[in-house]
Amino acid sequence: MNSHVPLAEPTPLPHASTPSPHHAPANAMVDWWLMVKAFWKKGRSVASFAPSSRFMARKVVKGIDFEKARCIVELGAGTGPITAELVRRVKPHTKLLVVELDPDLCGRLKARFPQVDVVQGDACHFDKLLADRGFSQVDHVCSGLPLPSFPDSLREAILATSARMLAPGGTFRQLTVMPLIYYRLYCRYFTDVRFGFVPLNMPPGGVYVCRGYRDPSAE
Ligand SMILES: C[S@@+](CC[C@H](N)C(=O)[O-])C[C@H]1O[C@@H](n2cnc3c(N)ncnc32)[C@H](O)[C@@H]1O
């Protein structure tokens, strides 16, 4: 049973996004330049000077049941390679919320995906953003956040919130360019962690798909 406990239905909300399959295409030069600039300014909190490849983006969304999903959140969207894959597949009954901290990257996302609910803010508040929109659970969290370079407390807060808010059958999906190195980190919060390698990315990386809340304090 889907226990979403929606405080309100997603579609009629004034700020609910019903993304159309049409959006501005990626502009490789613009997107690379924006990522290089953000990386130059913010270093570790951006962690990459190149947007993810479409192979990486497709791996992140692979296996999501878009018919069933009522709410999907993307954290750390950058210039939007994963957003584009989500927008292409998401159904009108699904709430899609995209959170990006960097104002320039956020501007690019808003220009590229005008129908999507894009918020400039810190991913650690995504539970409150969802509550404001009438959602107490999320089916899938797609994260491009550079979690390993975050301070411990922030990383733990984001993982714990994600694990706690997942609807039954939901997933937390984390891309990485350091294959398998942080496998044990995700195992602290999730009962089932699987890794898929993505060679065609710069640099090569992969995606963790995590399921099931595990309370780390119960260890
Ligand atoms: C490695 S980039 C990934 C960008 C994009 N998802 C991709 O795959 O190309 C990490 C992104 O996370 C964003 N970010 C870092 N810390 C954040 C935070 N606390 N909240 C929201 N976004 C954050 C950065 O600004 C950057 O756009």
Side-chain angles (χ1 to χ4, degrees), residues 45-179:
S45 85
V46 172
S48 171
F49 57 85
S52 289
S53 70
R54 67 175 188 281
F55 303 98
M56 176 72 94
R58 285 176 188 165
K59 191 76 152 188
V60 172
V61 304
K62 191 174 173 202
I64 290 180
D65 185 340
F66 285 93
E67 289 294 341
K68 284 198 186 144
R70 297 289 305 279
C71 179
I72 298 177
V73 173
E74 185 187 359
L75 306 175
T79 55
I82 293 151
T83 322
E85 294 302 322
L86 289 168
V87 166
R88 208 164 281 144
R89 293 165 172 77
V90 84
K91 304 294 177 200
H93 60 257
T94 306
K95 173 70 188 171
L96 175 60
L97 173 69
V98 173
V99 186
E100 167 56 51
L101 189 61
D102 181 87
D104 293 340
L105 295 174
C106 199
R108 171 74 179 132
L109 289 166
K110 286 181 175 174
R112 206 176 153 199
F113 308 103
Q115 313 89 331
V116 176
D117 189 359
V118 176
V119 173
Q120 194 222 322
D122 195 320
C124 69
H125 302 308
F126 86 86
D127 51 343
K128 292 180 190 68
L129 293 171
L130 281 182
D132 290 346
R133 287 154 176 78
F135 289 87
S136 57
Q137 289 191 320
V138 57
D139 292 287
H140 304 283
V141 178
C142 300
S143 167
L145 298 169
L147 286 182
S149 58
F150 279 13
D152 289 356
S153 57
L154 181 59
R155 180 176 57 238
E156 306 269 319
I158 289 171
L159 283 171
T161 302
S162 301
R164 185 171 43 75
M165 287 200 70
L166 280 188
T171 59
F172 173 83
R173 295 157 180 262
Q174 174 67 48
L175 66 80
T176 182
V177 290
M178 290 183 270

